[in-house]
C-alpha cells in the first residue's frame, strides 16, 4: 500500500521532470517518476530524435535508468504529460512502455496519470495490459 503523500511526491516529481524533456518535434513534454520496492525513486523524461524512431518515452527513460543502476523491482510509476503550452492531460503510457513495464513489474504495479500532485487517475499494469506476454512465457 502506497500512502497518499508518497503518491503525491511521485506525481510532483513526474511533473517537475517535464522541464528536462527534449521534445522539439512534438512539443509534448512528458515526465515520469518510478518508485522501487526499496523506496528509491528514479525519474525520466521523453527524449526525441530528428530521425523520430530513436525517440524514447519518459517511462522507459526512468526504467532504463533504474535497471542500469541495479534496481529492477518496482511498485509504482507516475506519468505527467501535455503540450508545452497547454494543461497537463491524464497521459497514459504507450504500448511499448506498457510492455517494458511488463518485463519488470507485477500485475499489481500502480500507474498514476498525474494532472497535479493531487489530481491523478490510478490504474494497475494488469488493467492497462491485459492478456499480456511476459518472461514466464519463455520458461
Ligand atoms: N510520450 C511519452 O514520453 N510517454 C507517454 O506516455 C506518451 C508519449 C512521448 C513520446 C513523444 O516524445 C511525445 O510524447 C509525443 O508522442
Amino acid at each position: 500500500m502506497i500512502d497518499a503523500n508518497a503518491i503525491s511526491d511521485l506525481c510532483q516529481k513526474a511533473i517537475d521532470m517535464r522541464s528536462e524533456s527534449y521534445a522539439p518535434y512534438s512539443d509534448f513534454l512528458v515526465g515520469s517518476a518510478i518508485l522501487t520496492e526499496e523506496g528509491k525513486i528514479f525519474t525520466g523524461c521523453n527524449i526525441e530524435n530528428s530521425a523520430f524512431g530513436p525517440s524514447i518515452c519518459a517511462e522507459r527513460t526512468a526504467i532504463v535508468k533504474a535497471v542500469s543502476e541495479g534496481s529492477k523491482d518496482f511498485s509504482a510509476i507516475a506519468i505527467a504529460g501535455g503540450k508545452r503550452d497547454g494543461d497537463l492531460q491524464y497521459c497514459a503510457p504507450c504500448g511499448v512502455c506498457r510492455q517494458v513495464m511488463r518485463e519488470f513489474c507485477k500485475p499489481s504495479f500502480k500507474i498514476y496519470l498525474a494532472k497535479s500532485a493531487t489530481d491523478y487517475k490510478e490504474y494497475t499494469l494488469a488493467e492497462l495490459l491485459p492478456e499480456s506476454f511476459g518472461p514466464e512465457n519463455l520458461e
Side-chain angles (χ1 to χ4, degrees), residues 99-116:
Q99 185 64 33
V100 172
M101 290 172 194
R102 174 69 176 81
E103 190 68 22
F104 299 105
C105 307
K106 297 188 294 282
S108 61
F109 176 73
K110 296 281 193 300
I111 300 170
Y112 302 105
L113 314 184
K115 279 194 180 181
S116 77

Side-chain angles (χ1 to χ4, degrees), residues 26 28 30 46 48 56-59 79 91-94:
S26 71
F28 193 86
V30 188
N46 57 330
E48 297 183 347
I56 184 166
C57 294
E59 298 90 321
I79 305 161
C91 176
C94 80

